[in-house]
Short mmCIF file of all heavy atoms in Angstrom, two decimals:
data_model
loop_
_atom_site.label_atom_id
_atom_site.label_comp_id
_atom_site.label_asym_id
_atom_site.label_seq_id
_atom_site.Cartn_x
_atom_site.Cartn_y
_atom_site.Cartn_z
N GLY A 1 0.82 -1.27 0.03
CA GLY A 1 0.00 0.03 0.02
C GLY A 1 0.82 1.30 -0.01
O GLY A 1 0.30 2.32 0.24
N VAL A 2 2.09 1.19 -0.31
CA VAL A 2 3.01 2.39 -0.30
C VAL A 2 2.67 3.24 -1.48
O VAL A 2 2.55 4.45 -1.43
CB VAL A 2 4.53 1.97 -0.32
CG1 VAL A 2 5.34 3.09 -0.45
CG2 VAL A 2 4.77 1.29 1.06
N ALA A 3 2.64 2.58 -2.70
CA ALA A 3 2.42 3.27 -3.99
C ALA A 3 2.18 2.28 -5.03
O ALA A 3 2.31 1.08 -4.82
CB ALA A 3 3.66 4.12 -4.31
N SER A 4 1.72 2.79 -6.11
CA SER A 4 1.56 1.91 -7.38
C SER A 4 2.96 1.46 -7.70
O SER A 4 3.96 1.95 -7.37
CB SER A 4 0.91 2.59 -8.57
OG SER A 4 1.77 3.64 -9.02
N ARG A 5 2.99 0.44 -8.55
CA ARG A 5 4.36 -0.07 -9.04
C ARG A 5 5.09 0.96 -9.74
O ARG A 5 6.29 1.12 -9.46
CB ARG A 5 4.13 -1.34 -9.89
CG ARG A 5 3.77 -2.63 -9.30
CD ARG A 5 4.03 -3.78 -10.15
NE ARG A 5 3.41 -4.95 -9.66
CZ ARG A 5 3.62 -6.13 -10.08
NH1 ARG A 5 4.35 -6.32 -11.13
NH2 ARG A 5 3.01 -7.30 -9.54
N ARG A 6 4.53 1.68 -10.47
CA ARG A 6 5.21 2.75 -11.36
C ARG A 6 5.65 3.89 -10.33
O ARG A 6 6.84 4.38 -10.47
CB ARG A 6 4.19 3.36 -12.38
CG ARG A 6 4.92 4.03 -13.52
CD ARG A 6 3.99 4.33 -14.64
NE ARG A 6 3.68 3.13 -15.51
CZ ARG A 6 2.94 3.22 -16.47
NH1 ARG A 6 2.30 4.37 -16.83
NH2 ARG A 6 2.66 2.11 -17.24
N GLU A 7 4.86 4.19 -9.38
CA GLU A 7 5.28 5.23 -8.42
C GLU A 7 6.37 4.69 -7.52
O GLU A 7 7.27 5.46 -7.19
CB GLU A 7 4.01 5.68 -7.51
CG GLU A 7 3.02 6.41 -8.32
CD GLU A 7 1.62 6.51 -7.56
OE1 GLU A 7 1.40 5.78 -6.52
OE2 GLU A 7 0.83 7.33 -7.89
N ALA A 8 6.31 3.39 -7.12
CA ALA A 8 7.30 2.82 -6.43
C ALA A 8 8.71 2.80 -7.07
O ALA A 8 9.72 3.03 -6.44
CB ALA A 8 6.85 1.30 -6.04
N GLU A 9 8.69 2.56 -8.38
CA GLU A 9 9.86 2.68 -9.21
C GLU A 9 10.49 4.02 -9.13
O GLU A 9 11.69 4.14 -9.09
CB GLU A 9 9.65 2.19 -10.60
CG GLU A 9 9.41 0.68 -10.74
CD GLU A 9 8.98 0.25 -12.10
OE1 GLU A 9 8.82 1.10 -13.00
OE2 GLU A 9 8.74 -1.00 -12.31
N ARG A 10 9.63 5.06 -9.19
CA ARG A 10 10.15 6.38 -9.03
C ARG A 10 10.78 6.74 -7.68
O ARG A 10 11.75 7.42 -7.60
CB ARG A 10 9.05 7.37 -9.36
CG ARG A 10 8.65 7.51 -10.90
CD ARG A 10 7.85 8.71 -11.25
NE ARG A 10 6.45 8.59 -10.77
CZ ARG A 10 5.41 8.10 -11.58
NH1 ARG A 10 5.62 7.80 -12.75
NH2 ARG A 10 4.26 8.03 -11.08
N LEU A 11 10.17 6.20 -6.69
CA LEU A 11 10.70 6.39 -5.26
C LEU A 11 12.05 5.72 -5.21
O LEU A 11 12.90 6.35 -4.59
CB LEU A 11 9.75 5.73 -4.25
CG LEU A 11 8.46 6.42 -4.11
CD1 LEU A 11 7.49 5.58 -3.12
CD2 LEU A 11 8.66 7.84 -3.38
N ILE A 12 12.18 4.58 -5.90
CA ILE A 12 13.45 3.86 -5.77
C ILE A 12 14.47 4.67 -6.57
O ILE A 12 15.66 4.88 -6.11
CB ILE A 12 13.34 2.44 -6.41
CG1 ILE A 12 12.39 1.55 -5.49
CG2 ILE A 12 14.63 1.75 -6.66
CD1 ILE A 12 11.93 0.28 -6.08
N GLU A 13 14.25 5.05 -7.72
CA GLU A 13 15.20 5.83 -8.57
C GLU A 13 15.58 7.15 -7.91
O GLU A 13 16.59 7.68 -8.09
CB GLU A 13 14.56 6.13 -9.96
CG GLU A 13 14.46 4.83 -10.78
CD GLU A 13 13.50 4.94 -12.06
OE1 GLU A 13 12.93 6.18 -12.12
OE2 GLU A 13 13.35 4.06 -12.79
N ALA A 14 14.61 7.64 -6.99
CA ALA A 14 14.97 8.89 -6.32
C ALA A 14 15.80 8.66 -5.02
O ALA A 14 16.11 9.66 -4.24
CB ALA A 14 13.63 9.63 -5.93
N GLY A 15 16.14 7.40 -4.77
CA GLY A 15 16.90 7.01 -3.56
C GLY A 15 16.19 7.11 -2.20
O GLY A 15 16.83 7.34 -1.27
N LYS A 16 14.81 6.89 -2.34
CA LYS A 16 14.10 6.99 -1.09
C LYS A 16 13.79 5.59 -0.43
O LYS A 16 13.19 5.55 0.57
CB LYS A 16 12.69 7.61 -1.42
CG LYS A 16 12.91 9.12 -1.87
CD LYS A 16 11.58 9.84 -2.13
CE LYS A 16 11.58 11.28 -2.46
NZ LYS A 16 12.18 12.05 -1.34
N VAL A 17 14.22 4.59 -1.09
CA VAL A 17 13.97 3.25 -0.63
C VAL A 17 15.26 2.51 -0.23
O VAL A 17 16.25 2.67 -0.97
CB VAL A 17 13.29 2.38 -1.69
CG1 VAL A 17 13.05 0.92 -1.24
CG2 VAL A 17 11.93 3.09 -2.14
N SER A 18 15.24 1.86 0.93
CA SER A 18 16.49 1.07 1.33
C SER A 18 16.01 -0.32 1.73
O SER A 18 14.91 -0.54 2.12
CB SER A 18 17.04 1.80 2.62
OG SER A 18 16.18 1.79 3.64
N VAL A 19 16.92 -1.24 1.45
CA VAL A 19 16.72 -2.65 1.77
C VAL A 19 17.84 -3.03 2.72
O VAL A 19 19.05 -2.99 2.30
CB VAL A 19 16.66 -3.49 0.48
CG1 VAL A 19 16.48 -5.02 0.87
CG2 VAL A 19 15.48 -3.08 -0.36
N ASN A 20 17.50 -3.47 3.83
CA ASN A 20 18.47 -4.01 4.84
C ASN A 20 19.53 -2.90 5.11
O ASN A 20 20.73 -3.17 5.26
CB ASN A 20 19.17 -5.30 4.37
CG ASN A 20 18.21 -6.44 4.26
OD1 ASN A 20 17.30 -6.63 4.90
ND2 ASN A 20 18.45 -7.24 3.12
N GLY A 21 19.01 -1.64 5.22
CA GLY A 21 19.83 -0.60 5.60
C GLY A 21 20.71 0.08 4.48
O GLY A 21 21.31 1.02 4.69
N LYS A 22 20.50 -0.42 3.20
CA LYS A 22 21.22 0.09 2.03
C LYS A 22 20.29 0.64 1.14
O LYS A 22 19.33 -0.01 0.58
CB LYS A 22 22.07 -1.01 1.41
CG LYS A 22 22.92 -0.60 0.25
CD LYS A 22 23.63 -1.72 -0.35
CE LYS A 22 24.42 -1.23 -1.61
NZ LYS A 22 25.25 -2.41 -2.24
N VAL A 23 20.62 1.93 0.74
CA VAL A 23 19.74 2.61 -0.23
C VAL A 23 19.89 1.96 -1.67
O VAL A 23 20.96 1.64 -2.12
CB VAL A 23 20.14 4.12 -0.42
CG1 VAL A 23 19.34 4.79 -1.51
CG2 VAL A 23 19.81 4.82 0.91
N ILE A 24 18.80 1.71 -2.33
CA ILE A 24 18.84 1.20 -3.58
C ILE A 24 18.34 2.10 -4.70
O ILE A 24 17.48 3.09 -4.29
CB ILE A 24 17.93 -0.16 -3.72
CG1 ILE A 24 16.47 0.22 -3.51
CG2 ILE A 24 18.52 -1.24 -2.73
CD1 ILE A 24 15.56 -0.94 -3.79
N THR A 25 18.82 2.02 -5.94
CA THR A 25 18.42 3.02 -6.95
C THR A 25 17.90 2.34 -8.19
O THR A 25 17.59 3.05 -9.18
CB THR A 25 19.59 4.00 -7.27
OG1 THR A 25 20.61 3.14 -7.72
CG2 THR A 25 19.99 4.84 -6.11
N SER A 26 17.80 1.04 -8.15
CA SER A 26 17.20 0.26 -9.26
C SER A 26 16.15 -0.71 -8.79
O SER A 26 16.26 -1.38 -7.73
CB SER A 26 18.31 -0.54 -9.98
OG SER A 26 17.76 -1.46 -10.92
N PRO A 27 14.90 -0.66 -9.52
CA PRO A 27 13.95 -1.67 -9.14
C PRO A 27 14.16 -3.08 -9.46
O PRO A 27 13.39 -3.91 -9.17
CB PRO A 27 12.70 -1.11 -9.85
CG PRO A 27 13.26 -0.42 -11.05
CD PRO A 27 14.66 0.12 -10.65
N ALA A 28 15.33 -3.37 -10.15
CA ALA A 28 15.61 -4.71 -10.56
C ALA A 28 16.25 -5.44 -9.32
O ALA A 28 17.33 -5.88 -9.35
CB ALA A 28 16.64 -4.74 -11.73
N LEU A 29 15.35 -5.71 -8.39
CA LEU A 29 15.84 -6.39 -7.15
C LEU A 29 14.66 -7.16 -6.56
O LEU A 29 13.52 -6.69 -6.49
CB LEU A 29 16.27 -5.41 -6.11
CG LEU A 29 16.55 -5.97 -4.78
CD1 LEU A 29 17.91 -6.82 -4.78
CD2 LEU A 29 16.77 -4.80 -3.73
N ASN A 30 14.85 -8.44 -6.24
CA ASN A 30 13.90 -9.28 -5.60
C ASN A 30 14.06 -9.27 -4.08
O ASN A 30 15.25 -9.36 -3.66
CB ASN A 30 13.95 -10.76 -6.19
CG ASN A 30 13.12 -10.96 -7.43
OD1 ASN A 30 13.09 -9.96 -8.31
ND2 ASN A 30 12.62 -12.08 -7.65
N VAL A 31 13.03 -9.23 -3.35
CA VAL A 31 13.21 -9.27 -1.94
C VAL A 31 12.22 -10.40 -1.39
O VAL A 31 11.28 -10.66 -2.03
CB VAL A 31 12.79 -7.90 -1.29
CG1 VAL A 31 13.78 -6.79 -1.64
CG2 VAL A 31 11.36 -7.54 -1.71
N THR A 32 12.50 -10.75 -0.24
CA THR A 32 11.72 -11.82 0.47
C THR A 32 11.27 -11.24 1.81
O THR A 32 11.53 -10.10 2.25
CB THR A 32 12.61 -13.07 0.73
OG1 THR A 32 13.55 -12.84 1.81
CG2 THR A 32 13.22 -13.61 -0.52
N GLU A 33 10.54 -11.98 2.55
CA GLU A 33 9.96 -11.67 3.86
C GLU A 33 10.99 -11.40 4.90
O GLU A 33 10.86 -10.73 5.90
CB GLU A 33 9.01 -12.79 4.42
CG GLU A 33 7.83 -12.99 3.60
CD GLU A 33 6.86 -14.06 4.11
OE1 GLU A 33 7.32 -14.71 5.07
OE2 GLU A 33 5.76 -14.30 3.51
#
């Protein structure tokens, strides 16, 4: 419920998303629980 997929990709490219404490800039990443 954070955003649509397209909006989520824009958030990622803007450096607003981090995974395991590391900022990501590409949506080409799979994550698990």
Side-chain angles (χ1 to χ4, degrees):
V2 173
S4 68
R5 286 198 190 187
R6 205 169 280 180
E7 291 167 345
E9 289 175 356
R10 286 197 284 266
L11 290 173
I12 292 166
E13 292 166 356
K16 295 180 178 293
V17 179
S18 62
V19 178
N20 300 324
K22 182 180 178 180
V23 174
I24 63 170
T25 55
S26 170
L29 174 69
N30 277 34
V31 294
T32 69
E33 295 178 355

